[in-house]
Amino acid sequence: MKEKRDFSEFVSELIVLADEVASFAKNPEIEIVEDAFTEFAMLVEKFAPIFNDLRDKSKIMDKSAIRKSLESLMNELTRAKALIRSSSLKERIKRIEDIAHDLGRSLGMLRVASLEVSIDFREKIGTLQKKLMNVRFGGNTSLTSSSISTFVNEEKVGGEIEEEINNVTGDDVLLHLKNGDAEEFAVALLRLKKFIRGGKLDSGLINVEAAVSILFNRLFSCKTGNRLTIIQLLRSVALQNDEMKVKSCNTMQEKMTKNELLSAVVKSLTRDTEERRESVGLLLELSDLPAVRRKIGRIQGCIVMLVSILNGVDPVASRDAAKLLDILSNNTQNALLMAEAGYFGPLVQYLNKAGSDMTKILMATTLSRLVLTDHSKLTLGQDGAIEPLVRMFNSGKLESKLSALNALQNLSSLTENVERLVKTGIVGSLLQLLFSVTSVLMTLREPASVILARIAESETVLVNKGVAQQMLSLLNLSSPVIQGHLLEALNSIASHPCASKVRSKMKDKGALQLILPLLKETKMKIRSKALNLLYTLSEDLTDELTAHFDETHLFDIVNIVLSSTSDSEKAAAVGILSNLPVSDKKVTDVLKRANLLPVLVSIMDSGTRSNSPAKSILMESIAGVAIRFTSSSDKKLQLLSAQHGVIPLLVKLLSSGSAITKFKAATALAQLSQNSPSLRRSRKSRWLCVAPSVNAYCEVHDGYCFVSSTFCLIKAGAVSPLIQILEDKDWEAVEAALNALSTLLQDEIWEGGANYIAKLSGVEAIVNVLEAGDVKVQEKALWMLERIFRIEEHRMKYAEFAQMVLIDMAQRSDSRLKSTVAKVLAVLELLLVQSSYF
């Protein structure tokens, strides 16, 4: 079955076909039928706006009936093209008249098929249909374009006009071209056309130089229709003269090469579709002359417009623009102008082909200075600009190397180009250059380090074994600028998800010892990049490696947290502290003496509204540090944290942080809440000097609770946000929230805790968690439900809601959970406690 053509492409073919028919009709090989064919060409040209509208509305126009009418039009236009190019004279005018009528009928079909389209569009079709159906080429007929037909008396028969034209002299034509009014000018254009068609340009009957000069001058002042006719006549002059070059070296084309005249044609490149098309064609004809080729590229805006036309929708103009640009690209200056206009093909060709090193240097230098969009960078990479630039760097002299590196630096900010760079094997060459101590190569080291930093952003850099270790060894041998790029590159490499082995090797090779001294660096960019790298490496620190963080380094990091105005610096600094092992008591003691806690609380209290990545990391890291200061094994440390306002901060993070932040905040609150039962003040105590407020009583702990001294989750308002976290899909955060809530179900307070969780609709949330796929989460939820369902009120209320999930778990869940599920079912009296089913 024949594949259905794309509607837009189909209409584009019709546009090209109509243009070809009109063009052939204007230039018939047989002069006797010229007037009829000229009028037919004028009618065919009116198809263009109709076809363009169809193409623009292709989505709603692509219907069977419309396609059928368009196929009919294509058949008739094809017939017309064949007839015009035929050498047979037999009934030629009658046959072209019949084709015009058939075209009118096909348009009628299109009009009927377009009932759903705008009235304006259908009226446009109807007007052209009427003209085609009523046209008669046998006697009365217009002679040329619409502008001429306005002024020439339509009642003159073709023979009279022909006789009048044949009897005038060249001087008469020039006089009317130069000084005639609108009607005389239009007729003069027709007479000049007859001279050109009759091959009389070389007969001496007309002064071609004067005619060309007058036509160019009238280009500036005449109406659109006449301007188009002038350009078409000039194309005819140029084309006919091409055939006569062998007869005379003083060609007519040479009369058309003055700057002001060419500028007038270039100006027409900015006008409507047909005039633009003819102007490109004229410039293409004239480009045979070296003088014209030299001048066209220098005319302001010419190459920019040609590139625009090349990328436009008019296939004829685009094709001619491509040919002209190809011709002009033989001049290196023109190739540079094309690159500036976004057409990079010629520039890439100069880089690839064998030739002068200076030309390649010129192209590479231009490429390095252009402000390129990502699309332009992608195009240059796809067109093959990367490989010749790498060859220039590897094998060229100093100037070649520098220009190539600068160009590659400009292109390397795009990921796709980075991958192409890695494939060329340039990484080794760049590192070798950075190790070089040759003074003449020093200017190359900075762009080389920038490119390395860009390459390091891609995981493909990891195919180069040992690249991180080599960069580390360069850190203390480089200038601050290069050092900054190396730190950036190392951080990118260490940050890749599959780079755990690389991070381990970096630390084994002394990365921490090299980076920690940079925390005192006065140059902020260096310090910031060193912090970022240190933060990345600290994510999987061992106790052994922590020894490298002595008291001085820890104080340096705290000072950065205190003094920095950058969220990203603070985030990296606090992130490093949060990644240090919690079990290291020495670190905890130093941070306590450095007064870190009030600094962190202050940062959060005065926190920005920004949702930037740096702000998110800062919140995560502060929550991480809070875990160290809320260890359940150290009540004094917990008390210190509570007194500094850590608990309200953690509760706030439960609702506003990322999943990681929620996990860490819930973990810290769980540690605090574990000690709440032992810190509560009993209502029966005789040692209270002042009776506590009624609001201080806690129904869960059955005593007087205070946020700052008993770390009570109820008084802190933490229970609701913890229950809310259970609806999240991040199971680490959910598990941490369950752990915190489970502290309310400890042996001595479980009944009050169960009632409070139920009061805040927490039971449903816990049951829903059972459907999670995480075994640890399910295990903790089952433990909590077993205690909650011991209370008859909750058992009666939630048994039906929970039993389906529990029975399903009993049949399908992990074997490790079966005994716990059985306990909950037993509590719900759905299974005997003694059952051996599990």
Side-chain angles (χ1 to χ4, degrees), residues 545-563:
L545 289 170
T546 308
H548 295 297
F549 287 83
D550 61 26
E551 184 174 319
T552 302
H553 296 136
L554 292 172
F555 271 103
D556 288 340
I557 295 172
V558 173
N559 285 334
I560 291 171
V561 177
L562 182 63
S563 62

Side-chain angles (χ1 to χ4, degrees), residues 358-377:
M358 287 310 299
T359 299
K360 293 181 179 181
I361 290 169
L362 179 63
M363 297 298 154
T365 302
T366 298
L367 197 51
S368 69
R369 293 173 180 170
L370 289 176
V371 178
L372 300 171
T373 63
D374 283 348
H375 177 71
S376 295
K377 292 172 186 177

Side-chain angles (χ1 to χ4, degrees), residues 691-834:
S693 164
V694 176
N695 293 332
Y697 176 70
C698 174
E699 58 188 281
V700 174
H701 297 112
D702 191 26
Y704 296 110
C705 285
F706 306 91
V707 174
S708 60
S709 58
T710 66
F711 326 136
C712 176
L713 295 183
I714 290 83
K715 295 302 177 184
V719 178
S720 287
L722 284 168
I723 291 173
Q724 187 66 37
I725 290 174
L726 300 184
E727 297 180 9
D728 289 357
K729 298 302 180 185
D730 186 275
W731 301 121
E732 281 194 343
V734 170
E735 184 184 0
L738 286 173
N739 286 334
L741 290 169
S742 69
T743 61
L744 303 179
L745 300 174
Q746 296 178 73
D747 289 341
E748 62 268 42
I749 61 170
W750 69 269
E751 190 170 356
N755 289 331
Y756 194 79
I757 290 172
K759 185 168 74 173
L760 295 182
S761 303
V763 179
E764 294 97 325
I766 297 171
V767 172
N768 289 333
V769 161
L770 292 176
E771 298 186 74
D774 189 275
V775 175
K776 287 185 178 180
V777 170
Q778 291 173 325
E779 189 173 21
K780 178 59 69 173
L782 288 168
W783 182 88
M784 294 173 70
L785 289 173
E786 189 272 333
R787 296 210 160 194
I788 292 170
F789 290 155
R790 290 176 188 175
I791 300 173
E792 184 176 0
E793 178 187 350
H794 306 324
R795 192 165 58 244
M796 297 293 292
K797 184 176 181 180
Y798 298 108
E800 186 177 352
F801 177 71
Q803 68 179 10
M804 292 304 296
V805 178
L806 290 166
I807 291 171
D808 185 64
M809 287 188 72
Q811 296 171 347
R812 301 174 184 272
S813 67
D814 191 291
S815 58
R816 291 171 290 176
L817 299 176
K818 288 187 181 292
S819 60
T820 313
V821 174
K823 288 181 181 179
V824 181
L825 288 171
V827 171
L828 290 174
E829 300 177 357
L830 296 173
L831 188 72
L832 293 175
V833 177
Q834 299 95 324

Side-chain angles (χ1 to χ4, degrees), residues 80 112-113 129 205 210 269 321 351 391 434 438 442 470 483 485 528 562 577 621 635 655 694 703 745 809 826:
V112 172
Q129 180 197 8
L205 295 176
L269 294 175
L351 287 174
R391 288 197 296 271
L434 291 176
T438 307
M442 296 303 282
Q470 287 179 280
Q483 195 176 50
H485 293 311
S528 181
L562 182 63
L577 298 176
S621 300
K635 291 181 182 178
S655 302
V694 176
L745 300 174
M809 287 188 72

Side-chain angles (χ1 to χ4, degrees), residues 228-297:
L228 176 60
T229 304
I230 290 171
I231 295 171
Q232 290 171 335
L233 287 172
L234 290 170
R235 280 194 75 178
S236 297
V237 171
L239 183 63
Q240 191 172 86
N241 182 66
D242 188 53
E243 298 166 357
M244 299 187 304
K245 283 179 182 175
V246 293
K247 299 180 182 178
S248 172
C249 60
N250 184 25
T251 68
M252 283 176 282
Q253 279 184 326
E254 291 172 345
K255 311 299 181 183
M256 303 163 71
T257 61
K258 293 183 180 179
N259 283 336
E260 60 272 17
L261 304 184
L262 291 173
S263 296
V265 180
V266 168
K267 190 173 182 181
S268 286
L269 294 175
T270 64
R271 296 195 170 101
D272 63 53
T273 302
E274 194 168 2
E275 187 171 338
R276 184 164 57 242
R277 183 190 304 155
E278 293 294 336
S279 299
V280 176
L282 175 55
L283 291 172
L284 181 60
E285 297 292 348
L286 294 176
S287 66
D288 284 345
L289 286 177
V292 172
R293 292 197 295 272
R294 286 194 301 271
K295 292 177 181 179
I296 290 177

